[in-house]
Amino acid sequence: MCDLIDKKVIIYGVGRFRKDFLYIFDKLNVKYSVTDNEQLVSIEKKVKYFKCLEKENKNKYVVVICEYSKENAINNLENMGYVYKKNYWNAEDLFQELDKKYIQNITEDLFGTIDYLFFEKIRGKKLVIWGTGNYSSELINANPQIKIDYFIDSNLKITGKLYNGKTIKHPDMIQDWKNIYIIIATINYYYEIRDYLIEVGLKENIDFALYRTALHSPFKTQKPSEMLIKTIYDKPLKKRNCFEPFSHIEVNYEGGMCLCCPNRIEIPGGYLYKVSFKEAWTSIVSKIIRLSMINRTFSFCNKNNCPNLNFNDEIMNRDTIICEDDYKMKQTLYPEHINIGIDNSCNLMCTTCRNKIKIANKEEKKRINIIADKLLEIVPYTKTLVMAGNGEIFFNESYRKIWIKNENEAKRDTIYVISNGILFNAENWNKLKQSYNNVKLTISVDASTKKTYDRIRCGGDFNKLIKNLKYASMLKKSGELKFFQLNYVIQSLNCFEMDEFVMMAKKLNADRVYFTRVMNWGTYSTSEFEKISLFDNNDIIKDKYIKLFKSNILKDPIVDLSFLYNFTDSNGEYIIKKIVGE
Ligand code: SF4
Ligand code: SF4
């Protein structure tokens, strides 16, 4: 196959397939293209009628078929004596070449929902699941590629029996605790099991973890060959365009570098823990994602999470090239916008986010610093830095290292700070001012009274927060702070204070109040979450909460409820959008 890449190539096909193929295989030495449609011969200088192949020296060139339907091409070539995989190839045969390097970067030849870091964690250990109930089967179904050694269950009635073909052992039977990694597949007994395992000398999140924590990764991985087939064969959307992946990156805790928000494009271009920024930015996966913008298929975009996409748009014929010139687009040297959320450590433990204080341990810090150092190489060259998607920007050392500019460095352009506000003080403001021309600030508050604040944002200090909000307000009024937003995650505990919150935000000169809904990041059991969410399991707003959105205060121009627009009432009406009058 590599021989083929070194040879001169003639492409059989002249449509979108060829354009997409050559965008990815841009190093091929292409002599010209052929078609069996005589009318298309004159459209481009380097397009000939396929009969010219009769005169070519078959040993000097190879033909690559870039057609959706290959039958005609194959017949024509074989009638002229061309032999498959000797003188001609299907384009798809080359796609597997793309997988080889990518697999090395991912560390394991495994693709699925499992976090690659998980395999590093369990290397050399036996993998054991504690629990043989629903969660256990959910875990096995979602991750068929994991190899389980045995199960643990304290129910004596099932000791020694088989579950999913593996033995169920009672905890008293385990001798080699140090040589196993345990995924706890139960929520109700998690803390009980955790205490037991700590007592036998194991460490949480090192030797064992709750199944969601152990396996959950916000990222998906997919073979480049499969991605390329998907986007080449998907159909384009007529009216949309988006070039976000040419200018934007978001880097999260796992070090996965996504070319859009990870909720919208879940496949990272590369893992910064493993590869350099340049390798991730120019990786084959990044290139294929960019191709899906150029060919307008948006094959890897999550349509539910992206306001730019409307999949009800007119879908074009597969061969349609929406804009020929876009195929000339390449990535720039550095992205214009970087959004960083690599360190979960935080001075608070909000009930919506975690159930204990999280501070990176030694191992995590080592990994975070590797990623931070790679980001530091590019941050000075970007236009907008957004920090921090998770963890607290003013609390984490790794973040301070990134957002405070070096003495010798020129002032940076713009930072968009997302903080819980407890450490937003004069000292940190001065550092921001020295480092950036423009500072934009978002503070997550989630309450308008001390009582509610204390229930939700554990570890916080409402009085201190108010003092810091007033300081931000003063900076906004003086024009030093360019933008000031307050965030509010709505749930049953705070939903009756929304009006009060908007009034407070107006007094504080906020530009925007952004309301979102509470999500379950694994801190609530299903029944707890059902109680605190304003929405039912089908994402339909519960009747008793509809009236809250009828308040006139929520129609104030500073209020942004757009996050909630896509949710409906039980009649299927986009009720919040309708009430607010958008
Ligand atoms: S998800 Fe939306 S914003 Fe992101 S790249 Fe796709 S179209 Fe653009
Ligand atoms: S302040 Fe933000 S990062 Fe910290 S615990 Fe609360 S929600 Fe999580």
Side-chain angles (χ1 to χ4, degrees), residues 344-350 352-354 389-392 419-420 444 446 457:
N344 287 337
S345 309
C346 186
N347 48 344
L348 303 194
M349 42 175 283
C350 306
T352 46
C353 174
R354 51 196 69 184
N390 56 2
E392 171 54 34
S419 163
N420 59 39
S444 313
D446 297 355
R457 299 189 76 84

Side-chain angles (χ1 to χ4, degrees), residues 242 244-245 260 264-265 293 298 301 306 308-309:
C242 172
E244 200 76 358
C260 185
R264 297 182 187 170
I265 295 187
M293 306 291 122
F298 308 103
C301 301
C306 176
N308 283 349
L309 290 179

Side-chain angles (χ1 to χ4, degrees), residues 78-249:
E78 296 203 343
N79 287 340
M80 288 186 284
Y82 282 72
V83 176
Y84 180 47
K85 291 204 172 172
K86 187 176 171 211
N87 313 113
Y88 82 90
W89 301 72
N90 290 325
E92 289 87 338
D93 297 327
L94 277 77
F95 294 0
Q96 279 138 29
E97 282 296 302
L98 305 173
D99 296 339
K100 290 182 185 164
K101 199 166 166 222
Y102 186 70
I103 287 168
Q104 287 159 15
N105 290 341
I106 288 287
T107 71
E108 299 284 347
D109 185 4
L110 279 163
F111 294 87
T113 56
I114 292 182
D115 176 355
Y116 82 105
L117 291 173
F118 172 73
F119 289 99
E120 294 197 337
K121 224 183 275 178
I122 67 162
R123 205 178 286 277
K125 289 185 174 183
K126 286 181 175 166
L127 179 60
V128 175
I129 310 294
W130 190 315
T132 52
N134 288 345
Y135 288 108
S136 192
S137 53
E138 186 187 308
L139 181 145
I140 295 161
N141 290 339
N143 298 285
Q145 62 275 62
I146 59 172
K147 289 191 181 67
I148 299 158
D149 282 89
Y150 57 88
F151 291 85
I152 300 178
D153 202 302
S154 41
N155 180 355
L156 282 166
K157 286 184 190 156
I158 54 173
T159 300
K161 294 196 171 153
L162 291 182
Y163 181 73
N164 269 277
K166 301 286 172 182
T167 312
I168 304 171
K169 296 187 184 182
H170 190 272
D172 291 346
M173 294 163 73
I174 314 298
Q175 309 281 333
D176 56 347
W177 289 109
K178 279 283 167 200
N179 295 321
I180 58 178
Y181 182 90
I182 304 162
I183 298 177
I184 302 176
T186 164
I187 288 196
N188 293 345
Y189 301 104
Y190 178 70
Y191 288 101
E192 213 174 291
I193 297 169
R194 183 186 69 165
D195 292 348
Y196 179 91
L197 293 175
I198 289 172
E199 217 163 275
V200 297
L202 302 190
K203 292 197 177 84
E204 190 175 11
N205 292 328
I206 293 176
D207 303 310
F208 69 90
L210 180 64
Y211 82 105
R212 279 206 209 116
T213 324
L215 297 179
H216 174 76
S217 164
F219 302 122
K220 281 185 183 158
T221 45
Q222 212 176 338
K223 287 181 181 174
S225 59
E226 290 165 2
M227 291 176 70
L228 188 54
I229 287 182
K230 176 160 176 50
T231 190
I232 288 182
Y233 279 81
D234 275 354
K235 293 179 178 174
L237 289 181
K238 188 178 181 186
K239 285 190 192 139
R240 299 287 141 183
N241 66 35
C242 172
F243 299 106
E244 200 76 358
F246 287 85
S247 61
H248 183 112
I249 60 166

Side-chain angles (χ1 to χ4, degrees), residues 344-496:
N344 287 337
S345 309
C346 186
N347 48 344
L348 303 194
M349 42 175 283
C350 306
T351 51
T352 46
C353 174
R354 51 196 69 184
N355 35 33
K356 59 174 187 185
I357 285 277
K358 266 189 204 164
I359 301 204
N361 61 30
K362 208 170 138 200
E363 271 308 295
E364 285 169 318
K365 276 187 187 153
K366 201 170 130 196
R367 186 173 57 80
I368 290 165
N369 277 322
I370 291 174
I371 302 165
D373 286 342
K374 289 180 184 173
L375 289 169
L376 256 181
E377 288 170 23
I378 57 165
V379 163
Y381 306 104
T382 56
K383 213 170 153 197
T384 317
L385 174 65
V386 181
M387 285 181 82
N390 56 2
E392 171 54 34
I393 178 169
F394 298 122
F395 178 73
N396 297 353
E397 271 315 305
S398 61
Y399 282 162
R400 297 180 78 78
K401 182 160 120 177
I402 296 173
W403 70 262
I404 301 174
K405 82 167 184 68
N406 285 328
E407 265 179 31
N408 308 329
E409 197 189 318
K411 218 168 170 182
R412 299 174 183 169
D413 197 293
T414 301
I415 185 164
Y416 200 125
V417 173
I418 303 167
S419 163
N420 59 39
I422 295 295
L423 298 171
F424 181 75
N425 50 29
E427 190 194 335
N428 281 323
W429 168 251
N430 286 332
K431 289 204 171 76
L432 283 167
K433 212 168 58 173
Q434 281 154 19
S435 300
Y436 299 88
N437 291 320
N438 303 301
V439 180
K440 301 181 177 186
L441 174 69
T442 287
I443 294 186
S444 313
V445 182
D446 297 355
S448 51
T449 62
K450 181 171 176 353
K451 192 176 163 208
T452 307
Y453 182 85
D454 288 347
R455 287 182 79 183
I456 297 174
R457 299 189 76 84
C458 307
D461 178 337
F462 191 68
N463 295 332
K464 196 171 183 184
L465 173 71
I466 294 293
K467 185 176 153 224
N468 294 347
L469 287 175
K470 285 182 181 162
Y471 182 57
S473 167
M474 185 267 291
L475 294 169
K476 177 70 209 339
K477 211 169 172 186
S478 69
E480 286 190 88
L481 186 61
K482 300 291 182 229
F483 178 80
F484 182 30
Q485 173 172 316
L486 297 179
N487 280 3
Y488 199 95
V489 179
I490 314 169
Q491 53 152 300
S492 59
L493 287 178
N494 64 9
C495 64
F496 298 101

